[in-house]
Amino acid sequence: MDFAIEIINLTKEFPQVGKISSSLFFFQKTKPIIVVDSVNLSVKKRELFGLLGLNGAGKTTLIKILSCLITPTEGTAKVSGYDILKDEEKVKASIGLINGDERSFYWRLTGRQNLQFFASLYNLSSGQAKAKIKELLDFLEIEEPDKRFQEYSAGVKQRLAIARSLLNEPKVLFMDEPTKSLDPRTARKLREFIREKLARQQGKTIFFATHNLEEADYLADRLAIMDKGQIKALGTIDDLREEMGNPHANTEEMFTFFVR
């Protein structure tokens, strides 16, 4: 089977600052913190794959590794067929990353001007950028692209983040808490957009992390439950219910069952 994402024995450790010895004036050695612990996963092309876990489970770190923002301590992964350690630039060119970080936008520029700036980073010509931005503004139904970024609602800011991630026509989209800080109505509309337009209509492979049980249940074709850096369960919702022996279990009951 042809996979969009293959994760092989991926581990990430961070050093832990030790205590200072009052007599010898040096840092005592401590064990590193294991944030991602020997993760193995494969995600099919065009799949909507969900990573469910509480804050601190390791979800964001895993996405950062797959996006080539940080390197693993052990193991490797392939994204769009490219090795994250050997083909970093090719991986970055094939993906889009949506992390809800508004600080990466220029607040005094308009939505359109922000997109023009990011298009230049992808080396799009002026004509290519203009055409692509118009296409994305229409596709994402952003009706006032010439307002300053700081004047937009949270929902429109998130749509602009999606537009930015699509400028390079990525094969794979990574989304870290895509509906974080959105009101329930806006969050529901964005989930519908992700599932129907990005996944079904455009055929993107989408790998998203969330701690929202409703979100995982609605979006994911398959789901991995992550806790303390480890994958505790993997499969479709029906697969997980069968493993539990409860055909009517909701996602919250699944999480409680597998993380115990």
Side-chain angles (χ1 to χ4, degrees):
M1 183 177 290
D2 204 4
F3 294 107
I5 302 169
E6 296 177 83
I7 304 172
I8 307 131
N9 297 321
L10 211 57
T11 295
K12 181 62 179 179
E13 299 178 353
F14 288 105
Q16 188 174 186
V17 178
K19 297 179 181 179
I20 301 176
S21 169
S22 58
S23 57
L24 300 177
F25 298 100
F26 63 86
F27 286 101
Q28 295 178 346
K29 290 184 179 181
T30 59
K31 290 183 178 181
I33 300 171
I34 302 175
V35 182
V36 175
D37 189 358
S38 302
V39 169
N40 289 277
L41 281 176
S42 295
V43 178
K44 296 175 285 188
K45 288 184 176 180
R46 303 172 66 93
E47 187 171 22
L48 244 172
F49 188 90
L51 191 63
L52 176 66
L54 300 176
N55 291 334
K59 307 184 304 296
T60 295
T61 300
L62 181 56
I63 284 180
K64 286 182 176 180
I65 294 172
L66 296 175
S67 302
C68 297
L69 297 179
I70 58 177
T71 56
T73 305
E74 296 179 10
T76 189
K78 289 184 178 180
V79 179
S80 304
Y82 303 118
D83 190 293
I84 61 169
L85 298 176
K86 300 176 183 177
D87 305 306
E88 178 179 336
E89 293 306 315
K90 290 180 180 179
V91 170
K92 288 182 176 179
S94 74
I95 68 170
L97 174 62
I98 303 162
N99 58 13
D101 186 3
E102 297 175 0
R103 293 171 298 178
S104 59
F105 283 91
Y106 293 91
W107 282 52
R108 295 194 178 190
L109 296 181
T110 67
R112 191 192 305 274
Q113 288 169 336
N114 267 285
L115 294 178
Q116 287 169 341
F117 169 74
F118 291 115
S120 70
L121 300 182
Y122 287 116
N123 296 317
L124 297 181
S125 69
S126 176
Q128 289 173 324
K130 184 177 180 180
K132 188 63 181 177
I133 289 169
K134 182 182 185 306
E135 174 190 329
L136 290 172
L137 292 173
D138 292 342
F139 179 63
L140 288 154
E141 300 176 359
I142 298 173
E143 297 178 351
E144 297 181 281
D146 297 309
K147 287 172 60 174
R148 286 187 177 185
F149 185 82
Q150 63 188 8
E151 298 173 0
Y152 289 117
S153 67
V156 175
K157 287 175 182 175
Q158 191 69 324
R159 284 178 180 254
L160 282 166
I162 293 174
R164 179 183 61 189
S165 75
L166 296 174
L167 283 167
N168 62 329
E169 299 187 2
K171 299 176 182 178
V172 178
L173 281 174
F174 290 105
M175 297 183 174
D176 190 8
E177 306 284 357
T179 61
K180 182 180 180 181
S181 302
L182 299 183
D183 63 82
R185 180 176 177 274
T186 303
R188 185 180 68 254
K189 290 180 67 176
L190 184 58
R191 290 181 195 123
E192 291 172 356
F193 178 85
I194 291 169
R195 189 175 73 173
E196 300 305 324
K197 285 202 170 185
L198 295 181
R200 306 295 182 248
Q201 184 176 322
Q202 288 210 329
K204 304 290 186 187
T205 301
I206 298 176
F207 186 105
F208 73 95
T210 184
H211 64 266
N212 187 303
L213 302 168
E214 177 187 356
E215 187 161 276
D217 199 5
Y218 178 81
L219 285 176
D221 296 325
R222 281 194 308 144
L223 182 67
I225 296 176
M226 191 172 191
D227 184 58
K228 297 178 182 177
Q230 297 180 333
I231 301 300
K232 299 294 187 179
L234 173 66
T236 65
I237 296 293
D238 288 341
D239 289 338
L240 299 182
R241 284 173 175 157
E242 184 176 348
E243 189 172 342
M244 291 173 63
N246 182 354
H248 305 293
N250 59 35
T251 316
E252 184 171 4
E253 289 169 335
M254 291 178 191
F255 191 80
T256 303
F257 178 86
F258 289 109
V259 181
R260 57 181 177 178

